[in-house]
Amino acid sequence: MSTALRPSACPGLLRIVQALDGGICRIKLNGGSISAAQAEAVACAAERFAGGVIEATNRANLQIRGIGTQHGALIDSLMAAGLGPSTVAGDDVRNLMLSPSAGIDQHMLIDTRPLAGQILASLQNHEPFHDLSAKFAVQLDGGEALAMLEHPHDLWLSAVEWNGEQRWAFGLAGCQTDVPVSSVALDQGHALVVAVLEVFLERARPDQTRMRHLLAECPLDEFLADLAERVPLMPVTDWQRDASAGILHIGAHPQRDAGQVYVGAVPPLGRLDPAMLRGVARLAREKGDGSVRFTPWQSLLLPAVQRVDAPYVIHSLEQLGLQCSADDALARLIACTGSTGCGKGLADTKGDARQLAALLQRHGHALNVHLSGCTRSCAAAHRAPITLLAVSAGRYDLYFRDAAQPGFGALHARSLTIEAVAALLDDRSRSPLDA
């Protein structure tokens, strides 16, 4: 690995970026999955070389925060655990998201993991792809019920049944997010991804780093015409992706294999400590298949748990400090690092989120609320039903999701305290108009 890292503000495993609370190392997980041994390596690295803060991210990766001066030793320990890229330049661009239940979901059409392996290999080893932005991302879903379909990925592929044939429908950021622009045969999935990336790199100017930037100027028909010269396309009509499966990343849910469930648990506001992660790894070995899967909801899954063991696993996870019930208000809140760790944060979003969770729980409400310390919305790539945007310490503007409004949605109230937010949300939840 002799290639030098390019300059970027995005942390990676090999590029540790400084924040108010120390360095940040982002560990990109293949398909969001990690072995128990690798989880223990992350816990050890966070303990030895940082402040012990481990974060689950909204792209199903992990971050270690509060890293001190021993950058090389931390990186070496993670590389030795098999958590690094196959090439230095490949670390930035291995941005591929799968469903957390890939290969085990009851409703899946296709096991996406073999194709994911091919795509990740190309992203890391095909040198022209190293020119992609560190934020350029691909999503692959195989028809699973558990899938985050609201992320604005530059390219998404979704398995469909069309006229008796299984195909990959695909869409591009900058177009309608749930309606495909075309489709390819099942055995053309990898060729499609390669072709889309090649056409993008050929057509995009250096300042057009994302697909939406290019398609703002390049007509979609022209892009697809270029694509059709490289891979056979077929339109798919009267079909769109469905993201309405419910809360399937928390609690025990049946797998494809009879008698097995996966158990989903939420670290409080996406944060684990080394003891938590070690405990999860132990449970994965004892009661699962030895792996832990992270999700874009900043939570984790333990797959391949025998149904009879689910109550024990849930109890053990809760004893470690994780939430396993969707009725727990804290399990439904997300918050960025906030002013305690980020220079751009205008409020202590983590502390305020805990206060809000306690107030909502008291009123018997578990609501999906996003607290953002600034307009960058680092904690949520999707548009949450309710967003609190910090304007100063302890005060937030309140937004409700509105399909007709860009950004966070419709502004409802300005400069509210957390107590005022909780009271307003309580009134709204009790209103018959919102029943």
Side-chain angles (χ1 to χ4, degrees):
M1 290 197 182
S2 57
T3 305
L5 285 172
R6 61 179 168 178
S8 175
C10 289
L13 188 145
L14 306 176
R15 182 193 299 106
I16 295 174
V17 173
Q18 199 66 23
L20 284 182
D21 56 350
I24 304 173
C25 173
R26 182 172 297 153
I27 307 161
K28 296 181 178 180
L29 308 179
N30 292 344
S33 185
I34 191 171
S35 71
Q38 288 173 325
E40 289 166 344
V42 172
C44 182
E47 201 168 53
R48 292 182 61 195
F49 308 117
V53 174
I54 304 159
E55 292 181 325
T57 78
N58 61 31
R59 295 201 183 274
N61 294 315
L62 288 175
Q63 289 185 166
I64 296 175
R65 298 191 69 95
I67 299 166
T69 58
Q70 294 182 279
H71 291 191
L74 179 140
I75 292 168
D76 288 346
S77 70
L78 297 174
M79 290 292 292
L83 291 165
S86 58
T87 61
V88 169
D91 192 29
D92 279 344
V93 297
R94 50 185 183 139
N95 302 319
L96 174 64
M97 182 186 289
L98 307 186
S99 161
S101 57
I104 62 173
D105 196 290
Q106 276 193 318
H107 301 277
M108 72 179 190
L109 296 175
I110 299 294
D111 184 348
T112 57
R113 292 174 295 179
L115 176 55
Q118 290 180 288
I119 295 171
L120 282 169
S122 293
L123 287 169
Q124 294 182 83
N125 300 316
H126 187 48
E127 190 171 340
F129 293 165
H130 299 167
D131 290 334
L132 292 166
S133 162
K135 294 183 180 297
F136 196 100
V138 179
Q139 184 183 37
L140 184 59
D141 76 82
E144 302 92 351
L146 178 59
M148 168 60 84
L149 303 183
E150 295 183 275
H151 275 298
H153 282 75
D154 296 271
L155 166 65
W156 59 262
L157 285 73
S158 188
V160 299
E161 290 271 7
W162 184 252
N163 291 337
E165 177 190 8
Q166 291 184 334
R167 298 182 64 83
W168 292 112
F170 69 95
L172 305 169
C175 304
Q176 195 170 344
T177 57
D178 56 353
V179 176
V181 295
S182 195
S183 76
V184 298
L186 210 59
D187 62 358
Q188 293 291 301
H190 179 249
L192 170 71
V193 174
V194 169
V196 169
L197 300 186
E198 288 177 344
V199 173
F200 172 81
L201 289 170
E202 290 167 11
R203 282 184 164 268
R205 299 190 307 268
D207 62 309
Q208 294 173 320
T209 57
R210 305 296 298 276
M211 186 66 73
R212 66 179 183 273
H213 302 151
L214 174 63
L215 294 182
E217 296 183 15
C218 169
L220 176 62
D221 289 347
E222 289 185 15
F223 191 96
L224 292 178
D226 275 4
L227 204 56
E229 293 179 1
R230 306 172 195 231
V231 61
L233 304 182
M234 179 186 294
V236 170
T237 56
D238 301 321
W239 179 89
Q240 65 183 49
R241 300 197 300 175
D242 181 10
S244 58
I247 303 172
L248 299 177
H249 65 284
I250 305 176
H253 299 276
Q255 289 188 189
R256 198 175 183 88
D257 294 335
Q260 289 190 338
V261 300
Y262 67 78
V263 177
V266 183
L269 302 174
R271 284 197 167 177
L272 303 103
D273 59 33
M276 272 186 187
L277 192 52
R278 286 194 181 99
V280 169
R282 175 184 57 78
L283 283 170
R285 279 200 182 97
E286 292 178 358
K287 299 297 181 180
D289 63 0
S291 72
V292 183
R293 300 187 182 196
F294 288 87
T295 86
W297 293 273
Q298 296 174 270
S299 62
L300 60 87
L301 307 183
L302 288 181
V305 174
Q306 295 300 313
R307 190 185 299 272
V308 295
D309 291 330
Y312 169 80
V313 170
I314 288 172
H315 175 74
S316 299
L317 289 167
E318 290 175 340
Q319 289 295 107
L320 290 169
L322 292 92
Q323 282 95 33
C324 296
S325 171
D327 294 330
D328 190 320
L330 192 57
R332 304 278 288 276
L333 268 59
I334 53 176
C336 65
T337 300
S339 57
T340 60
C342 176
K344 296 183 183 295
L346 299 178
D348 176 11
T349 51
K350 296 285 192 190
D352 291 341
R354 286 183 177 275
Q355 181 186 358
L356 178 61
L359 292 170
L360 292 175
Q361 198 77 50
R362 190 181 306 164
H363 294 309
H365 303 310
L367 305 173
N368 294 320
V369 184
H370 165 216
L371 289 83
S372 187
C374 75
T375 57
R376 294 187 303 164
S377 187
C378 294
H382 67 292
R383 187 183 300 175
I386 303 165
T387 296
L388 298 178
L389 176 62
V391 293
S392 63
R395 289 190 172 270
Y396 294 82
D397 287 349
L398 172 63
Y399 293 81
F400 292 110
R401 182 165 58 192
D402 184 340
Q405 298 278 352
F408 296 121
L411 177 61
H412 184 79
R414 291 188 180 275
S415 195
L416 298 177
T417 63
I418 291 297
E419 292 86 350
V421 168
L424 192 153
L425 294 179
D426 181 45
D427 288 343
R428 184 180 175 90
S429 296
R430 295 178 188 277
S431 169
L433 295 176
D434 295 293

